[in-house]
Coordinates of all heavy atoms in Angstrom, one line a residue:
R995 N 96.0 87.7 115.5 CA 96.3 89.2 115.6 C 96.9 89.6 116.9 O 96.5 89.0 117.9 CB 95.1 90.0 115.2 CG 93.9 90.0 116.1 CD 92.6 90.5 115.6 NE 92.8 91.9 115.2 CZ 92.0 92.6 114.3 NH1 90.9 92.0 113.9 NH2 92.3 93.9 114.0
D996 N 97.7 90.6 117.0 CA 98.3 91.1 118.1 C 98.0 92.7 118.1 O 98.7 93.4 117.4 CB 99.8 90.9 118.3 CG 100.4 91.3 119.6 OD1 99.8 92.3 120.2 OD2 101.4 90.8 119.9
N997 N 96.9 93.1 118.7 CA 96.4 94.4 118.6 C 97.4 95.4 119.2 O 97.6 96.5 118.8 CB 95.0 94.6 119.2 CG 94.0 93.9 118.4 OD1 94.1 93.7 117.2 ND2 92.9 93.5 119.0
A998 N 98.1 95.0 120.2 CA 99.0 95.9 120.9 C 100.2 96.2 120.0 O 100.7 97.3 120.1 CB 99.6 95.2 122.2
K999 N 100.6 95.3 119.1 CA 101.7 95.5 118.2 C 101.1 95.9 116.7 O 102.0 96.2 115.9 CB 102.5 94.3 118.0 CG 103.2 93.8 119.3 CD 104.0 92.6 119.1 CE 104.7 92.2 120.4 NZ 105.6 91.0 120.3
N1000 N 99.8 96.1 116.6 CA 99.3 96.4 115.2 C 99.7 95.3 114.2 O 100.1 95.7 113.1 CB 99.7 97.8 114.8 CG 98.5 98.7 114.8 OD1 97.4 98.5 115.3 ND2 98.8 99.9 114.3
M1001 N 99.7 94.1 114.6 CA 100.2 93.1 113.7 C 99.1 92.0 113.5 O 98.3 91.7 114.4 CB 101.4 92.3 114.4 CG 102.6 93.2 114.6 SD 103.4 93.6 113.0 CE 104.1 92.0 112.5
V1002 N 99.2 91.3 112.3 CA 98.4 90.2 112.0 C 99.3 89.2 111.4 O 100.3 89.5 110.6 CB 97.3 90.5 111.0 CG1 96.5 89.3 110.5 CG2 96.4 91.6 111.6
Y1003 N 99.1 87.9 111.7 CA 99.9 86.8 111.3 C 99.1 85.8 110.6 O 97.9 85.6 110.8 CB 100.5 86.2 112.6 CG 101.3 87.1 113.4 CD1 100.7 87.7 114.6 CD2 102.6 87.6 113.1 CE1 101.4 88.6 115.4 CE2 103.2 88.5 113.8 CZ 102.6 89.0 115.0 OH 103.3 89.9 115.8
L1004 N 99.8 85.0 109.7 CA 99.2 83.8 109.1 C 100.3 82.7 109.2 O 101.3 82.7 108.6 CB 98.9 84.1 107.6 CG 98.1 82.9 107.0 CD1 96.8 82.8 107.5 CD2 98.0 83.2 105.4
Q1005 N 99.9 81.7 110.1 CA 100.7 80.5 110.2 C 100.3 79.5 109.1 O 99.1 79.1 109.2 CB 100.6 80.0 111.6 CG 101.4 78.7 111.9 CD 102.9 78.9 111.8 OE1 103.4 79.8 112.3 NE2 103.6 78.0 111.1
M1006 N 101.2 79.1 108.3 CA 100.8 78.2 107.2 C 101.6 76.9 107.4 O 102.8 76.9 107.4 CB 101.1 78.9 105.9 CG 100.5 80.2 105.7 SD 100.7 80.8 104.0 CE 102.4 81.0 103.9
N1007 N 100.9 75.8 107.6 CA 101.5 74.5 107.8 C 101.2 73.6 106.6 O 100.1 73.8 105.9 CB 101.1 73.9 109.1 CG 101.6 74.7 110.3 OD1 102.6 75.4 110.2 ND2 100.8 74.7 111.4
S1008 N 101.8 72.5 106.5 CA 101.5 71.5 105.4 C 101.3 72.1 104.1 O 100.3 71.8 103.4 CB 100.3 70.7 105.9 OG 100.4 70.0 107.2
L1009 N 102.2 72.9 103.7 CA 102.1 73.7 102.4 C 102.2 72.7 101.3 O 103.0 71.8 101.3 CB 103.1 74.8 102.4 CG 102.9 76.0 103.3 CD1 104.1 76.8 103.6 CD2 101.8 76.9 102.6
T1010 N 101.5 73.0 100.2 CA 101.5 72.3 98.9 C 101.8 73.3 97.8 O 101.7 74.5 98.0 CB 100.1 71.7 98.7 OG1 99.2 72.7 98.3 CG2 99.6 71.0 100.0
P1011 N 102.2 72.8 96.7 CA 102.5 73.7 95.6 C 101.4 74.5 95.2 O 101.5 75.6 94.6 CB 102.9 72.7 94.5 CG 103.5 71.5 95.1 CD 102.6 71.4 96.4
E1012 N 100.2 74.0 95.4 CA 98.9 74.9 95.2 C 98.8 76.1 96.0 O 98.0 77.0 95.7 CB 97.6 74.0 95.3 CG 97.5 72.9 94.2 CD 98.5 71.8 94.3 OE1 98.9 71.4 95.5 OE2 98.9 71.4 93.2
D1013 N 99.6 76.2 97.1 CA 99.6 77.4 97.9 C 100.5 78.4 97.4 O 100.6 79.6 98.0 CB 100.0 77.0 99.3 CG 99.0 76.1 100.1 OD1 97.8 76.3 99.9 OD2 99.5 75.1 100.7
T1014 N 101.3 78.1 96.4 CA 102.2 79.1 95.8 C 101.4 80.3 95.3 O 100.5 80.2 94.4 CB 102.9 78.5 94.6 OG1 103.8 77.5 95.2 CG2 103.8 79.6 94.0
A1015 N 101.8 81.5 95.7 CA 101.1 82.8 95.4 C 101.7 83.9 96.0 O 102.6 83.8 97.0 CB 99.6 82.6 95.7
V1016 N 101.3 85.1 95.6 CA 101.6 86.3 96.4 C 100.5 86.5 97.4 O 99.3 86.4 97.0 CB 101.7 87.5 95.5 CG1 101.9 88.8 96.4 CG2 102.7 87.4 94.4
Y1017 N 100.8 86.7 98.6 CA 99.8 86.8 99.7 C 99.7 88.2 100.1 O 100.8 88.8 100.4 CB 100.2 85.9 100.9 CG 99.9 84.5 100.7 CD1 100.7 83.8 99.8 CD2 98.8 83.8 101.3 CE1 100.4 82.4 99.5 CE2 98.5 82.5 101.0 CZ 99.3 81.7 100.1 OH 99.1 80.4 99.9
Y1018 N 98.5 88.7 100.2 CA 98.2 90.2 100.4 C 97.5 90.3 101.8 O 96.6 89.5 102.0 CB 97.4 90.7 99.4 CG 98.0 90.8 97.9 CD1 97.9 89.8 97.1 CD2 98.8 91.8 97.6 CE1 98.5 89.8 95.9 CE2 99.4 91.9 96.3 CZ 99.3 90.8 95.5 OH 99.9 90.9 94.3
C1019 N 97.8 91.3 102.5 CA 97.1 91.6 103.7 C 96.1 92.8 103.5 O 96.5 93.6 102.7 CB 98.2 92.0 104.8 SG 97.5 92.6 106.4
K1020 N 95.0 92.7 104.0 CA 94.0 93.7 103.8 C 93.3 94.0 105.2 O 93.0 93.2 106.0 CB 92.8 93.2 102.9 CG 91.8 94.3 102.6 CD 90.7 93.8 101.6 CE 89.6 93.2 102.5 NZ 88.4 93.0 101.5
A1021 N 93.1 95.4 105.4 CA 92.4 95.9 106.5 C 91.1 96.5 106.0 O 91.1 97.2 105.0 CB 93.2 96.9 107.3
S1022 N 90.0 96.2 106.7 CA 88.7 96.7 106.1 C 87.8 97.0 107.3 O 87.8 96.4 108.3 CB 88.0 95.6 105.2 OG 87.7 94.5 106.0
R1023 N 87.0 98.1 107.0 CA 86.1 98.6 108.0 C 85.1 99.6 107.3 O 85.6 100.6 106.7 CB 86.8 99.4 109.1 CG 86.0 100.1 110.1 CD 86.9 100.8 111.2 NE 86.2 101.8 111.9 CZ 85.3 101.5 113.0 NH1 85.2 100.3 113.4 NH2 84.7 102.5 113.6
N1024 N 83.8 99.3 107.5 CA 82.8 100.2 106.9 C 83.1 100.6 105.5 O 82.9 101.8 105.1 CB 82.7 101.4 107.9 CG 82.3 101.1 109.2 OD1 81.6 100.1 109.4 ND2 82.6 102.0 110.2
G1025 N 83.4 99.6 104.6 CA 83.6 99.9 103.3 C 84.9 100.5 102.9 O 85.3 100.7 101.7
I1026 N 85.7 100.7 103.9 CA 87.1 101.3 103.6 C 88.1 100.1 103.6 O 88.0 99.3 104.5 CB 87.5 102.3 104.6 CG1 86.6 103.5 104.6 CG2 89.0 102.7 104.5 CD1 86.8 104.4 105.7
E1027 N 88.9 100.0 102.6 CA 89.9 99.0 102.4 C 91.3 99.5 102.3 O 91.5 100.5 101.5 CB 89.6 98.1 101.3 CG 88.2 97.3 101.4 CD 88.0 96.4 100.2 OE1 88.8 96.5 99.2 OE2 87.0 95.6 100.3
Y1028 N 92.3 98.9 102.9 CA 93.6 99.1 102.7 C 94.4 97.8 102.4 O 94.1 96.8 103.1 CB 94.3 99.7 103.9 CG 93.7 101.1 104.4 CD1 92.9 101.1 105.5 CD2 93.9 102.2 103.7 CE1 92.3 102.4 105.9 CE2 93.4 103.5 104.0 CZ 92.6 103.5 105.2 OH 92.0 104.7 105.6
W1029 N 95.3 97.8 101.4 CA 96.0 96.7 101.0 C 97.5 96.9 101.2 O 98.1 97.9 100.9 CB 95.7 96.3 99.5 CG 94.3 95.9 99.2 CD1 93.2 96.7 98.9 CD2 93.9 94.5 99.2 NE1 92.1 95.8 98.7 CE2 92.5 94.5 98.8 CE3 94.5 93.3 99.4 CZ2 91.7 93.3 98.8 CZ3 93.7 92.1 99.3 CH2 92.4 92.1 98.9

């Protein structure tokens, strides 16, 4: 994460066909969620 930029990253290496999917980002705090 880069809090200064309000960004989160996911570096994915050695990918396989089983990793095929839609990837969703979620923010959560005290029971509140944003997708």
Side-chain angles (χ1 to χ4, degrees):
R995 65 193 303 163
D996 185 336
N997 292 333
K999 296 181 179 179
N1000 250 11
M1001 296 288 294
V1002 177
Y1003 306 99
L1004 185 67
Q1005 178 66 44
M1006 305 188 295
N1007 299 328
S1008 302
L1009 285 161
T1010 73
E1012 288 69 37
D1013 296 316
T1014 295
V1016 177
Y1017 285 72
Y1018 297 90
C1019 177
K1020 185 181 87 168
S1022 59
R1023 170 181 165 81
N1024 295 338
I1026 297 172
E1027 295 182 350
Y1028 300 106
W1029 289 90

